[in-house]
Amino acid sequence: GPEGEEELIASLGSPKEAAHDILTTLLDKKINEENSNKNNRQVLQIAILALLAAPIGIPVGIALLMAIIGIFIAAVSVLIAFFAVSVAGLILGGFLLFESFYVLAESTSAFMLIFGGGLLAIGASSLVLLATSYVTRFFGILILRLIQWILNRGKRGESHA
């Protein structure tokens, strides 16, 4: 009846609060999925929607969003730099390996030095590339957890008010 509808509307709160609760619940489910095939782009989109639907003050929300964007841009810049250095090291290592065979006829010790340098450059660059991939995954998880923490903090603030 009409009495039940009014109680239901009162329990759900404003439409913005209901949307925030739904998006936050959806984000929590997506992040905590055990399936490794989850779509990270979809999770990021849900996180941004949930952050924008959060019933917090607009200036505080803008400041938090700008801080997250700044941290994200800085992290991406560092990761791109490490990726570029590792690719350059792989190219240099390959070049040194081929170059070492040109000096083989003249000096065996020069061949060994240049060949070893090429192997060292390829090995070190491969390790940097591997570490960069792990750090990239870590930053992705860190950003999602930060957004989740902000959203859950907003929920706690509402329940005490």
Side-chain angles (χ1 to χ4, degrees):
E3 307 87 28
E5 289 177 13
E6 291 175 12
E7 290 176 13
L8 180 62
I9 291 172
S11 69
L12 289 175
S14 72
K16 188 170 186 170
E17 291 172 353
H20 172 67
D21 290 341
I22 291 169
L23 287 172
T24 304
T25 304
L26 182 61
L27 177 64
D28 289 340
K29 285 181 184 176
K30 284 286 187 181
I31 289 176
N32 295 327
E33 269 184 5
E34 292 296 326
N35 188 3
S36 63
N37 294 331
K38 64 182 175 182
N39 187 351
N40 289 332
R41 183 176 179 203
Q42 185 181 27
V43 172
L44 186 61
Q45 288 173 346
I46 293 170
I48 291 171
L49 282 174
L51 185 62
L52 295 176
I56 57 177
I58 291 176
V60 174
I62 291 172
L64 286 174
L65 191 60
M66 290 300 119
I68 290 171
I69 289 172
I71 292 169
F72 179 74
I73 289 172
V76 168
S77 299
V78 168
L79 292 173
I80 288 172
F82 275 115
F83 178 76
V85 166
S86 64
V87 169
L90 287 171
I91 292 170
L92 174 70
F95 177 74
L96 286 175
L97 286 179
F98 286 117
E99 188 67 30
S100 67
F101 289 106
Y102 288 115
V103 298
L104 179 60
E106 299 193 20
S107 172
T108 307
S109 60
F111 165 77
M112 294 172 103
L113 180 67
I114 296 172
F115 191 80
L119 289 177
L120 178 67
I122 289 174
S125 297
S126 298
L127 287 176
V128 169
L129 192 60
L130 181 66
T132 303
S133 70
Y134 282 118
V135 170
T136 302
R137 289 184 190 144
F138 173 74
F139 275 132
I141 292 169
L142 187 68
I143 289 171
L144 287 175
R145 296 291 182 210
L146 177 65
I147 291 172
Q148 191 177 25
W149 177 76
I150 290 169
L151 293 173
N152 289 335
R153 188 172 166 90
K155 272 186 180 178
R156 277 188 268 145
E158 289 173 10
S159 63
H160 292 296

